[in-house]
């Protein structure tokens, strides 16, 4: 049984819906928010198994939010996967520099999305 939880921080509702549907179909528990500020608050409260972080957010962007999570002892252990727009050259490097444990490029590939997320969670899990 899959009881892992994922926090999605993404301002595009279509991406949130797609990612949520795919992950919930595999048993993941999903929380989502559209802003970095609320995302940081939820990450501290929920301590999800993985944070899916859109890099381009209104207001505080995903890079700043990732740095905030990774510099806070309460959340520095969380796995953060950046969500970058394929057209935005350089976003991938920025995501890793900011502390993301990995990244996925949009548009979301429905065939590989869930298995990639599962791999990130498994590789960061201490209970193998
Ligand atoms: Mn965005």
């Amino acid at each position: 049984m899959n009881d892992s939880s994922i926090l999605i921080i993404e301002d595009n509702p279509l991406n949130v819906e797609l990612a949520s549907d795919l992950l919930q179909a595999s048993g993941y528990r999903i929380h989502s928010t559209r802003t970095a500020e609320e995302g940081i608050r939820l990450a501290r409260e929920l301590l999800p198994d993985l944070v899916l972080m859109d890099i381009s957010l209104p207001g505080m962007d995903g890079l700043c939010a990732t740095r905030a999570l990774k510099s806070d002892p309460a959340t520095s252990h969380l796995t953060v996967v950046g969500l970058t727009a394929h057209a935005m050259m350089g976003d991938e490097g920025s995501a890793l520099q900011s502390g993301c444990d990995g990244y996925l490029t949009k548009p979301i590939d429905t065939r590989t999305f869930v298995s990639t997320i599962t791999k990130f969670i498994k590789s960061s899990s201490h209970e193998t």
Side-chain angles (χ1 to χ4, degrees), residues 9-12 15 34 54-58 83 106:
I9 306 174
E10 159 70 274
D11 62 312
N12 180 327
N15 280 332
R34 300 174 62 170
D54 181 24
I55 298 304
S56 177
L57 293 165
L83 203 49
K106 291 189 273 190

Side-chain angles (χ1 to χ4, degrees), residues 59-98:
M60 183 194 286
D61 68 21
L63 300 175
C64 285
T66 300
R67 281 194 290 268
L69 291 176
K70 291 294 183 176
S71 63
D72 180 345
T75 52
S76 60
H77 67 287
L78 296 179
T79 299
V80 180
V81 174
L83 203 49
T84 71
H86 190 60
M88 297 296 284
M89 298 290 285
D91 262 8
E92 291 88 347
S94 303
L96 297 178
Q97 272 179 2
S98 297

Side-chain angles (χ1 to χ4, degrees), residues 37 41-42 95 114:
E37 290 84 349
R41 195 189 67 72
L42 283 172
V114 172

